[in-house]
Amino acid sequence: MVHNPIDLHANSSANENITIDPNASWKNQASFVEQNMQKFTQDAPLDAVVCVAGGWAGGNLKSDDLIDMTDAMWRASLQTSMLSAQIAAKHMKQGGLLVLPGAYGAINPTPGMIGYGVAKSAIHHLVRSCAEKGSGMPKGACTVGIMPTILDTEMNRKAMPNADFKDWTPLSEVSDKIAEWIQGNNLPRNGSLVKIETKAGATSYETF
């Protein structure tokens, strides 16, 4: 499996890297990515496109930093997902897989984290739109949104050091599941949102 990460920093274990300028405009970032993708996929289209970019920010409508936090969530979550969807539409093989990062918390209203909820719910809409006829996705492609309740990341552990980590989903669990889907095994239906929840070390998957 060939890995061509697109990120703000290079990945030393990757075959190739597309390192974008975080200060560039969204349009210029997209143009830069497209130029590089044309080189990487000229011999063979991609099997899958997996977006794992994102972040979290709290705040309600009275928060002084509401606009800044909403903008940050929009850039970190929706803009990266939109770029990923366009890459899939232009450079992924027929029957390929696109995975985008939703959030189970954004299924319902998020009054205490409005910017985060707005960005994630927009990704949910994007997932379902990609699955519809006329979206531009390759024939037979499948788009799935993953909705983890909470992931076991270094940042989450620093933010919540006293939490029960047995109820957090390991990143390896999610990556293994996505690899399974790429191989065509237990693939969710096109346009579905998949809740990922871990309890006492056991992880379950529920499709919406």
Side-chain angles (χ1 to χ4, degrees), residues 149-152 163-170 197-202:
T149 53
I150 186 165
L151 293 171
D152 190 354
D164 186 351
F165 302 141
K166 295 192 300 298
D167 291 340
W168 292 13
T169 304
E197 184 173 29
T198 300
K199 291 291 185 183

Side-chain angles (χ1 to χ4, degrees), residues 125-162:
H125 178 86
L126 177 59
V127 168
R128 293 186 167 121
S129 295
C130 287
E132 293 296 315
K133 182 178 180 180
S135 69
M137 289 290 288
K139 182 179 179 180
C142 180
T143 303
V144 176
I146 54 173
M147 303 191 301
T149 53
I150 186 165
L151 293 171
D152 190 354
T153 67
E154 181 180 352
M155 291 299 295
N156 282 342
R157 286 194 177 223
K158 287 181 178 179
M160 296 170 277
N162 297 320

Side-chain angles (χ1 to χ4, degrees), residues 20 24-35:
I20 62 174
S25 69
W26 187 18
K27 182 177 180 179
N28 287 341
Q29 288 177 348
S31 296
F32 177 75
V33 168
E34 175 60 20
Q35 291 170 8

Side-chain angles (χ1 to χ4, degrees), residues 1 19 30-31 35 39 48 54 65 70 86 91 103 105 114 128 133 136 143 155 159 166 188-189 192 207:
M1 188 178 297
T19 307
S31 296
Q35 291 170 8
K39 293 186 295 184
D65 59 357
T70 301
Q86 187 171 58
H91 300 289
I114 288 180
R128 293 186 167 121
K133 182 178 180 180
T143 303
M155 291 299 295
K166 295 192 300 298
R189 70 178 184 276
S192 61
T207 300

Side-chain angles (χ1 to χ4, degrees), residues 30-110:
S31 296
F32 177 75
V33 168
E34 175 60 20
Q35 291 170 8
N36 283 273
M37 288 306 304
Q38 289 177 3
K39 293 186 295 184
F40 293 151
T41 60
Q42 60 183 351
D43 296 325
L46 302 170
D47 295 319
V49 176
V50 180
C51 179
V52 292
W56 182 87
N60 64 18
L61 294 174
K62 289 186 175 181
S63 301
D64 292 336
D65 59 357
L66 172 67
I67 302 304
D68 287 340
M69 290 299 98
T70 301
D71 180 63
M73 292 299 94
W74 199 254
R75 287 184 284 107
S77 293
L78 183 64
Q79 289 187 9
T80 52
S81 290
M82 193 70 77
L83 282 174
S84 299
Q86 187 171 58
I87 290 169
K90 292 184 174 183
H91 300 289
M92 193 170 71
K93 71 179 184 180
Q94 292 188 4
L97 174 66
L98 170 63
V99 178
L100 299 178
Y104 184 66
I107 288 289
N108 296 308
T110 56

